[in-house]
Amino acid sequence: MARVAVLTGEVRASGVGKSIDTTTLLLPTDVAADPGECVVLRGPNGSGKTTLLRIIGGLLEPTTGTATIGGRQADERDRAIRAAVAALIGVPATYRDLTLIDHLVLVDSTWGSDPNTSDDRGLALLEELGIAQLHDRFPHELSSGQEQLFRLALTLSRPCSVLLLDEPEQRLDTTKRQVVAGVIRGRTGAGATVVMACHDPALIEALATRVVDVVPAR
């Protein structure tokens, strides 16, 4: 099997915009984020923050501009891009007959970690997010807030140099938002690049090294 290139976490989006027919989803926008930084995308609903995250992650081709990760065009069909990016954009797939820890073990082992210690890493991640006591629950048994934390756990359970998060604070109370802030701060402290859409001023204040205001199309 061909070796996958290891990409650094430099994120660059230059003038990226997206239109479908006569509808503008995202006006041309620039984003620059380096390893260890948390860049926050701020703007009203409908301004195109999610579209921008999808373009940065290579999930959506821009109509204008370019997006790169580690100097490489952002395209999810590229194995190196897939290996570099972990993204919580939308609802991740889950399985009704797998517990939370089963899901994390599956993701962990899929990305090449030692299967003999996958349980330990999964439980440590659930503990970091404050939901370790739910490890043997099934996803459909979780409350709305617990489900959001589990989605974050699924995203964080795989290695990455770039972490893309679409409003990770949604459905969480103030205490849990502080927990999430600590987890994200830990990832940037370890050298990951984080780009996240966020509406919470307190979370933005706590995490952002830079804020990009996404302007809605008129």
Side-chain angles (χ1 to χ4, degrees):
M1 181 180 295
R3 190 172 182 178
V4 179
V6 178
L7 300 181
T8 55
E10 292 89 357
V11 171
R12 298 290 183 269
S14 178
V16 292
K18 184 67 178 179
S19 298
I20 298 177
D21 298 326
T22 60
T23 301
T24 300
L25 303 179
L26 174 68
L27 291 173
T29 305
D30 298 331
V31 177
D34 292 315
E37 286 192 312
C38 177
V39 172
V40 172
L41 310 179
R42 182 176 61 189
N45 290 332
S47 59
K49 299 185 301 298
T50 300
T51 298
L52 180 53
L53 284 172
R54 290 175 61 81
I55 290 172
I56 290 170
L59 302 168
L60 186 66
E61 185 177 355
T63 307
T64 62
T66 59
T68 61
I69 293 174
R72 195 159 176 148
Q73 180 181 351
D75 185 341
E76 69 165 340
R77 295 168 295 184
D78 184 334
R79 290 177 62 205
I81 295 296
R82 292 200 305 274
V85 177
L88 178 56
I89 305 172
V91 180
T94 58
Y95 302 92
R96 188 174 179 84
D97 56 347
L98 294 183
T99 64
L100 306 195
I101 191 62
D102 289 339
H103 279 86
L104 297 186
V105 167
L106 177 62
V107 174
D108 185 80
S109 56
T110 297
W111 286 96
S113 298
D114 182 358
N116 294 315
T117 53
S118 289
D119 280 86
D120 294 337
R121 281 186 294 277
L123 287 170
L125 181 54
L126 293 175
E127 180 68 35
E128 190 178 11
L129 288 164
I131 53 172
Q133 74 280 9
L134 305 175
H135 72 276
D136 58 352
R137 297 268 187 96
F138 295 98
H140 62 271
E141 296 178 320
L142 302 178
S143 69
S144 178
Q146 291 167 348
E147 184 178 31
Q148 178 66 5
L149 292 169
F150 174 54
R151 291 174 182 175
L152 282 164
L154 281 174
T155 307
L156 295 166
S157 63
R158 48 151 297 185
C160 69
S161 58
V162 176
L163 184 60
L164 305 178
L165 302 173
D166 193 6
E167 299 181 22
E169 76 278 9
Q170 60 182 315
R171 299 191 299 276
L172 299 180
D173 61 25
T174 301
T175 299
K176 290 303 183 184
R177 290 184 182 198
Q178 292 172 350
V179 169
V180 169
V183 171
I184 294 173
R185 197 178 294 112
R187 296 311 186 267
T188 56
T193 304
V194 176
V195 182
M196 59 182 274
C198 185
H199 286 290
D200 183 352
L203 205 57
I204 294 172
E205 176 66 25
L207 292 173
T209 54
R210 192 177 309 133
V211 175
V212 174
D213 287 307
V214 182
V215 180
R218 299 187 184 280

